[in-house]
Amino acid sequence: FLYGSQLFKDQQYAKAIENFNLSVENSSNSKFKSRALFWKAEALYRLKNYEEALNNFKIFSEIEESKETIEYDMVLYHMAYTYFQLKDYNQSGGYFNEFIAIAKNEKLLYDSYLRLGDCFFALSSYFKAIPAYKKVIDRNDLDVDYAQLQIAFCYGYMGETDKKINALNDFIEVHLKSTLRDDAFYELGNSYVKLNNTDQAMSAYEE
């Protein structure tokens, strides 16, 4: 297990999986077996083998000994991300919600709110996505610009063009160095076109 962990840190995921498999098969320590399963799943995830990763995360989560490991508190978060990569947004959102309810790590908590918003967005549940994105904005740390732009998109898909324009103008005013500014100006131009406001549309497109 320890050698597998070192290989994982060195990003040698295929070799790490081999060692984690040996630990699962041969270790007499049930806690190491459980931990090996978790990190095998994470290595599979890094190799983009999401189906197998999910299967191993599930096995880990169902083993009684796993509850005694430091990884157990994280498995819901990892399963949520794996479902997200598989584009199963219903399952992903469910697991992000479960993780949010127990999260102790603030950074992961707000990342979960962000991805929960993305799940709702992908499912066209825009009115549910907005409160999740607002949690990220209220924290005022990472990904605020992304969350604010997503809210503007939500308003647009909900047919609330005025709210979308206000959200985009707020974004442009606040996020002066964001890499998403071009997207915001483009969307702002499109929104003004919808309202037959050609002058303001041209002004936004020229930015």
Side-chain angles (χ1 to χ4, degrees):
F1 172 77
L2 296 175
Y3 184 51
S5 300
Q6 187 57 53
L7 289 166
F8 182 93
K9 285 178 186 173
D10 294 338
Q11 298 180 16
Q12 296 184 50
Y13 301 122
K15 285 185 178 178
I17 289 165
E18 289 175 16
N19 279 271
F20 290 139
N21 279 335
L22 288 172
S23 185
V24 171
E25 290 163 15
N26 301 320
S27 177
S28 58
N29 185 315
S30 58
K31 194 181 283 189
F32 275 147
K33 276 189 178 183
S34 295
R35 295 187 71 197
L37 264 174
F38 178 92
W39 290 105
K40 176 189 172 184
E42 183 60 16
L44 286 161
Y45 179 94
R46 302 288 177 95
L47 293 171
K48 300 185 178 179
N49 189 344
Y50 301 122
E51 292 281 2
E52 274 297 300
L54 184 61
N55 187 43
N56 280 273
F57 280 133
K58 282 181 177 177
I59 294 168
F60 168 84
S61 69
E62 290 163 4
I63 295 172
E64 190 63 31
E65 287 81 5
S66 296
K67 293 177 182 176
E68 299 169 20
T69 67
I70 55 173
E71 290 82 6
Y72 189 72
D73 287 346
M74 297 289 300
V75 72
L76 294 172
Y77 177 80
H78 287 264
M79 287 175 74
Y81 254 107
T82 310
Y83 275 118
F84 191 86
Q85 295 293 353
L86 290 167
K87 296 182 168 53
D88 188 339
Y89 300 114
N90 266 316
Q91 289 280 8
S92 179
Y95 278 101
F96 277 125
N97 255 327
E98 282 190 55
F99 179 73
I100 285 165
I102 62 157
K104 296 170 185 172
N105 181 308
E106 191 179 26
K107 184 180 176 183
L108 299 185
L109 171 63
Y110 285 93
D111 183 61
S112 296
Y113 276 122
L114 188 70
R115 294 301 163 225
L116 180 61
D118 287 344
C119 289
F120 285 133
F121 188 90
L123 293 166
S124 303
S125 294
Y126 306 115
F127 67 100
K128 289 184 178 178
I130 289 170
Y133 289 134
K134 280 186 174 176
K135 288 279 189 184
V136 179
I137 292 166
D138 290 344
R139 189 188 181 216
N140 197 28
D141 193 7
L142 296 173
D143 298 310
V144 170
D145 56 343
Y146 173 79
Q148 201 161 352
L149 191 59
Q150 287 296 103
I151 286 177
F153 286 137
C154 288
Y155 286 136
Y157 286 123
M158 291 163 71
E160 299 186 38
T161 306
D162 287 341
K163 281 188 176 181
K164 180 182 179 183
I165 287 171
N166 288 337
L168 288 169
N169 278 319
D170 287 346
F171 175 96
I172 288 161
E173 193 176 314
V174 173
H175 301 291
L176 301 177
K177 294 182 179 178
S178 172
T179 56
L180 301 172
R181 277 177 72 80
D182 287 347
D183 295 332
F185 278 117
Y186 180 74
E187 282 299 320
L188 187 59
N190 289 348
S191 301
Y192 282 130
V193 167
K194 262 191 175 180
L195 297 176
N196 295 317
N197 194 332
T198 310
D199 289 346
Q200 284 186 285
M202 292 306 295
S203 176
Y205 286 138
E206 285 166 7
E207 286 291 344

